Amino acid sequence: METAPRTPATPRYRRGQESRERILAAALDAFGHKGLEAASTRDIAGAAQVNLPAIQYYFGNKEGLYLACAEHIVSTYAGATLAAGEAAKRTLTEDPSPETCRAELAKLLTTLARFLVSADDTRSWSLFVQRELAKPGPAFDILFERLWSPGVELVAYLLAGVRGKSRPGAETRLEAIQMISGITTFASGRAAIERFLPPGTAIADQLCQLVERQIADIKG
């Protein structure tokens, strides 16, 4: 059966998408720095250069906008790490050697490190996520079930594989959390980190090298 050709996006549709994206960007910045309660939808609308009813039109209400921010974070992280994550999952189904697990762990975590340090918006995202970790709110379940839990489990299984084990225990999961948290700190604390380093330092490259050395030092 032939499918009808896709209708090109109209200028009005494109403007609508652009407005929605500006609202999300402004909301991520506001929620990341101030939290759900303190952030003002009026200020978010002003930063996004839209009128206040636009937030209601696209997101329903303030909590709907907050949840949309969480969904945006999850989908963006997933897209950035998809190839490395899928490769690691395939490796784990093939009874891999410790060195293969070590290599896949390095690929996965350096991919995450480069994304977090190189992307422009990750500081706001990291602050948003940290707030939900410190004080669970409406977005906690979205972030836990679709971001934290899958990520921690994958890293934990790779760590277990490095040590020749088929499954991780509680200590290995804590180790996975520690490794991931160490990388995410470079996104939320980038302004302070830059002051410790010479001007022009390629932070992403330096962080990836550090991650690779840490993984190489893991005892089998």
Side-chain angles (χ1 to χ4, degrees):
M1 179 183 296
E2 294 185 0
T3 58
R6 179 177 294 181
T7 303
T10 64
R12 181 177 179 182
Y13 174 83
R14 288 195 296 270
R15 287 195 299 272
Q17 286 296 101
E18 290 168 0
S19 295
R20 189 179 190 279
E21 289 168 7
R22 289 201 307 273
I23 294 169
L24 273 176
L28 279 162
D29 186 66
F31 291 140
H33 285 87
K34 298 179 180 180
L36 175 60
E37 297 303 322
S40 159
T41 52
R42 188 174 298 279
D43 289 344
I44 291 170
Q49 299 180 324
V50 299
N51 56 35
L52 195 56
I55 292 178
Q56 183 177 6
Y57 176 80
Y58 290 110
F59 303 100
N61 53 29
K62 186 178 180 181
E63 185 170 315
L65 176 57
Y66 190 77
L67 294 177
C69 286
E71 295 279 358
H72 178 75
I73 290 171
V74 169
S75 62
T76 306
Y77 269 81
T81 60
L82 179 63
E86 291 300 315
K89 290 175 187 176
R90 287 194 300 271
T91 294
L92 288 170
T93 65
E94 298 168 355
D95 191 22
S97 68
E99 286 312 307
T100 298
C101 288
R102 193 187 300 273
E104 291 299 329
L105 180 61
K107 289 178 188 176
L108 179 63
L109 291 185
T110 55
T111 297
L112 176 64
R114 195 167 293 281
F115 163 68
L116 286 174
V117 174
S118 300
D120 293 334
D121 299 329
T122 50
R123 184 170 185 272
S124 295
W125 303 345
S126 295
L127 291 171
F128 184 105
V129 170
Q130 287 173 11
R131 284 183 177 278
E132 282 292 315
L133 274 171
K135 185 179 179 181
F140 184 85
D141 287 342
I142 292 172
L143 294 171
F144 184 85
E145 292 168 9
R146 294 173 50 194
L147 183 64
W148 297 326
S149 181
V152 168
E153 283 297 291
L154 183 54
V155 172
Y157 268 88
L158 288 169
L159 282 169
V162 170
R163 298 188 172 104
K165 298 179 181 179
S166 60
R167 298 181 64 84
E171 185 174 347
T172 304
R173 286 188 172 89
L174 288 174
E175 185 180 4
I177 293 169
Q178 183 182 47
M179 293 182 77
I180 295 170
S181 299
I183 293 171
T184 57
T185 298
F186 276 77
S188 58
R190 180 167 179 171
I193 290 166
E194 287 176 340
R195 292 200 176 190
F196 287 101
L197 303 173
T201 298
I203 297 177
D205 292 340
Q206 295 290 320
L207 177 56
C208 287
Q209 291 171 19
L210 176 61
V211 169
E212 287 171 345
R213 287 197 298 271
Q214 290 174 336
I215 292 171
D217 289 341
I218 296 172
K219 303 299 182 183

